[in-house]
Amino acid sequence: MREINGADISAAVARMCMSANTKLPDDVRRKFEEGLAGETTDAGREIFRQLLENADLAFETKLPLCQDCGLAIFYVEMGEDVCVPGGINEAITEGMVTGYKDGFLRKSSCDPLTRKNTGDNTPAIIHIDFVPGDGLKISYMAKGGGSENMSRVTMLSPSQGWEGIKKFVVQRVVEAGPNPCPPIILGIGIGGTFETAPKNAKRALLRKLDDTHPDPKVAEMEAELLAAVNKLGIGPMGLGGSYTCLGVKIAVAPCHIASLPLAVNVQCHSARHEEVEF
Amino acid sequence: MATYTLNTPLTAADTDKLRAGDVVLLNGIIYSGRDAAHKKLMELLDKGESLPFDLTGASIYYVGPSPAPPGRPIGAAGPTTSYRMDAYAPRLIGLGLKATIGKGKRSDEVKKAMAEHKAVYFGATGGAGALLSKCITASKVIAFDELGPEAVREMTVKDFPLLVINDAHGGELYAKPNLDD
Ligand code: SF4
């Protein structure tokens, strides 16, 4: 059994929350630069210019990239031979609370009915998968409400197949329009169940924008969806252009013979995530 | 497409000349308010009580800023999605509100109210919270402090960069999705 100190985990999580909210990931930045050069509309290029300036300013001043510092989402791969005295959930939550406080990040969590703010951004949303070995990997994502609100889960009929999936995804992007701060990134969960499809969709957003899915069939599906969505011409901030979507990331999982679950997680351009390994 | 520098409070003459696509650099006092604050404003109106600020010619910015770090008037302060305030906006526009600032689409009811009362809807760049905060030179909570990020703030802006998304003449800037195959 490998013991990992909870305080070390908390400190790393706090740092990660602060850093991810002020430093745009390099792969996202490269896409902005590509958009600045390649977007077909003046308005769209101007948005990319502002977003790059915003990223520089956030990095320099440590002001958050976006005021919506999100609910704090964690995907954890925990080795079966790892033990965290005091508990892994507690260690992550404590780190998140410290990071959001010390980093002057916005606390955006509230009671669903009274709408009273919980005050410290709790609860942290933690998904743990147990994996063989004694490693520990914690991925953090700041997920804003604007893009999350445009996300959907649906249970398609198996007969609808790939065509039905494409139709639903394109329709989702059309209906979302300018609302989720395009250019967007799409995390898509195909298959699984009612609860695992959205979990897989969101986890897919942790992938690098410029990676290629290891399964060539899925890679092809991602490219096809990206092209279909970018043909819509919604453009940066909905002002028109060819950069509506910066990337499509699909996760496929087996499902019930009666079902075709589909989850579309819409991520805004402020795709803030980082990971830490122990 | 023109560029205008405007000062708050806005007049009907200010808003009447604006067309979708125009750039506006806004100066003066604007008020922050989002979901929870709007609900409270409605409760005050229902009870016949006065609002924490004068609506005549006012501009409301749909924003919940991040906390101000030491030495700064405000944290990151970009727009939130506007449709969530669509249920409340026509009533406020009817009472003199001249501009709302946010991101994303508005309902037909809001567009109708804007045309009727010569109000406009400005878009600020979503996700550019650090950049936009540079144009906010002062900020203080004037109501509903208990709402934290959702409190109503009086903010002073200097050349706050906005795009006219919906004008008072039925014009709209957002691109229509290209659906033909
Ligand atoms: S959708 Fe994203 S970029 Fe836009 S306001 Fe929300 S968190 Fe920020």
Side-chain angles (χ1 to χ4, degrees):
Chain A
M1 231 8 169
R2 177 182 167 213
E3 214 177 272
I4 302 179
N5 191 343
D8 292 344
I9 295 175
S10 298
V13 166
R15 271 198 305 274
M16 189 158 63
C17 292
M18 292 191 270
S19 156
N21 273 288
T22 51
K23 183 183 179 303
L24 191 72
D26 292 337
D27 54 329
V28 182
R29 192 186 174 91
R30 278 196 295 275
K31 285 282 172 193
F32 287 3
E33 280 160 357
E34 191 189 306
L36 181 64
E39 180 51 275
T40 50
T41 60
D42 290 344
R45 279 195 303 276
E46 170 60 17
I47 295 297
F48 281 118
R49 195 198 59 73
Q50 290 178 18
L51 294 183
L52 284 163
E53 197 185 334
N54 185 63
D56 290 342
L57 197 69
F59 187 67
E60 260 165 50
T61 61
K62 301 298 168 222
L63 280 176
L65 287 153
C66 180
Q67 74 291 336
D68 185 349
C69 305
L71 291 192
I73 317 291
F74 295 90
Y75 281 90
V76 181
E77 283 171 36
M78 186 161 175
E80 274 150 356
D81 300 328
V82 169
C83 149
V84 178
I88 180 80
N89 283 309
E90 288 73 9
I92 291 176
T93 299
E94 207 182 300
M96 185 277 288
V97 168
T98 306
Y100 273 67
K101 186 166 147 280
D102 293 354
F104 295 92
L105 306 179
R106 197 182 79 184
K107 291 82 181 164
S108 306
S109 176
C110 74
D111 181 282
L113 297 168
T114 65
R115 311 305 296 178
K116 188 173 173 345
N117 199 298
T118 66
D120 55 7
N121 219 41
T122 54
I125 312 296
I126 305 172
H127 305 290
I128 301 182
D129 283 325
F130 290 99
V131 296
D134 63 0
L136 175 67
K137 179 168 151 187
I138 304 174
S139 304
Y140 157 73
M141 178 193 295
K143 189 63 165 77
S147 60
E148 190 81 340
N149 280 345
M150 295 298 114
S151 305
R152 293 291 185 276
V153 190
T154 186
M155 304 301 278
L156 296 178
S157 162
S159 68
Q160 289 172 278
W162 172 236
E163 283 311 311
I165 292 169
K166 257 193 339 194
K167 206 169 139 195
F168 186 87
V169 173
V170 170
Q171 190 53 30
R172 184 79 303 267
V173 176
V174 167
E175 279 166 27
N179 292 0
C181 290
I184 55 171
I185 301 159
L186 292 169
I188 297 183
I190 301 176
T193 59
F194 185 73
E195 79 278 13
T196 58
K199 202 170 134 181
N200 294 341
K202 188 171 277 179
R203 185 185 1 230
L205 291 169
L206 295 171
R207 282 170 50 197
K208 293 260 179 270
L209 270 176
D210 42 15
D211 72 353
T212 309
H213 197 285
D215 180 340
K217 183 80 198 68
V218 180
E220 207 176 292
M221 285 154 60
E222 290 178 347
E224 192 178 333
L225 268 182
L226 181 65
V229 165
N230 278 332
K231 240 178 49 191
L232 294 169
I234 293 168
M237 284 297 132
L239 300 173
S242 53
Y243 283 78
T244 301
C245 182
L246 302 176
V248 176
K249 303 294 165 187
I250 296 179
V252 181
C255 59
H256 193 282
I257 51 174
S259 314
L260 176 49
L262 172 65
V264 182
N265 197 296
V266 179
Q267 167 65 53
C268 55
H269 62 72
S270 201
R272 296 150 291 176
H273 56 89
E274 268 186 32
E275 57 189 47
V276 62
E277 281 187 66
F278 290 87
Chain B
M1 280 179 262
T3 300
Y4 297 99
T5 299
L6 295 178
N7 294 306
T8 62
L10 298 175
T11 64
D14 288 330
T15 51
D16 195 39
K17 68 182 175 203
L18 298 176
R19 294 294 181 277
D22 287 347
V23 172
V24 168
L25 300 173
L26 195 63
N27 290 274
I29 300 279
I30 63 175
Y31 301 96
S32 75
R34 44 173 293 157
D35 311 65
H38 273 76
K39 194 154 178 267
K40 290 206 175 250
L41 293 178
M42 295 301 124
E43 286 164 10
L44 289 177
L45 288 175
D46 288 344
K47 283 190 279 186
E49 290 175 21
S50 60
L51 297 187
F53 57 93
D54 184 4
L55 274 179
T56 317
S59 302
I60 294 185
Y61 184 19
Y62 301 144
V63 60
S66 62
R72 288 191 171 267
I74 200 158
T80 192
T81 326
S82 307
Y83 73 88
R84 299 192 317 269
M85 272 57 74
D86 282 356
Y88 314 114
R91 187 170 183 191
L92 298 175
I93 289 170
L95 292 170
L97 180 70
K98 275 279 169 279
T100 54
I101 304 168
K103 60 158 172 115
K105 294 176 279 193
R106 305 313 302 263
S107 69
D108 289 341
E109 289 73 26
V110 177
K111 292 178 200 170
K112 216 175 104 211
M114 289 196 284
E116 203 173 313
H117 300 280
K118 296 226 178 296
V120 291
Y121 169 50
F122 293 123
T125 302
L131 187 62
L132 287 165
S133 96
K134 269 209 321 194
C135 305
I136 302 174
T137 56
S139 166
K140 64 168 190 249
V141 173
I142 57 166
F144 318 139
D145 199 14
E146 69 280 7
L147 296 180
E150 297 203 68
V152 171
R153 290 172 170 79
E154 182 188 278
M155 298 173 165
T156 310
V157 289
K158 174 131 184 39
D159 290 337
F160 197 56
L162 303 170
L163 267 176
V164 179
I165 302 291
N166 291 102
D167 61 34
H169 308 277
E172 167 153 349
L173 182 63
Y174 284 137
K176 295 248 176 315
N178 166 23
L179 291 172
D180 10 295
D181 229 346

